Amino acid sequence: MSELVQRASQQLTELVRGELRLAQAELKEKGRRYGKGGGLFGGAGVVGFLMLQALVATAIAALAVPLPVWAAALIVAAVLGVIAGVLALSGKKQVGRAAPPVPEQTIDSVKADVAEIKESAQR
């Protein structure tokens, strides 16, 4: 009987170790894929940024046909400045809504739970 228990224990240990090795190998492979995916996303971001720069240059060139180049560049810069300002104000508004960074609903819920427990304990 003790030999059976010992063998079962040994087999269980081997099974757990095998599962851990499998999990480690699987996570290592997934980590490599996440790394490659992150690198590809970064590359896409760089190329997208270059595309936006090309579009800005195209807009300046298109406006430079009827206007002087400096005026076309100034108009495009002003439009980009307005867009940046709107985005900044929207971001500030969203950050203001998130402040303070305290989980207020959770705190209120915990306080209610504590009050309920105290009330139940006094009965």
Side-chain angles (χ1 to χ4, degrees), residues 76-98:
V76 170
V79 168
L80 291 173
V82 168
I83 292 170
V86 168
L87 291 173
L89 289 175
S90 296
K92 182 180 178 191
K93 187 176 182 180
Q94 289 297 320
V95 169
R97 286 183 186 170

Side-chain angles (χ1 to χ4, degrees), residues 1-88:
M1 185 68 157
S2 77
E3 184 180 325
L4 287 175
V5 171
Q6 183 181 6
R7 284 177 66 195
S9 174
Q10 183 180 7
Q11 288 176 349
L12 181 62
T13 302
E14 289 175 13
L15 178 65
V16 169
R17 285 183 182 158
E19 292 294 336
L20 287 174
R21 282 192 298 270
L22 177 62
Q24 184 181 18
E26 185 179 350
L27 289 176
K28 188 182 286 186
E29 179 63 28
K30 286 187 178 193
R32 272 193 228 118
R33 289 179 190 237
Y34 277 125
K36 286 179 185 177
L40 292 171
F41 272 128
V46 169
V47 172
F49 181 69
L50 293 174
M51 180 201 64
L52 287 175
Q53 289 179 335
L55 285 174
V56 167
T58 301
I60 292 171
L63 285 174
V65 172
L67 299 172
V69 175
W70 68 267
L74 184 63
I75 290 169
V76 170
V79 168
L80 291 173
V82 168
I83 292 170
V86 168
L87 291 173

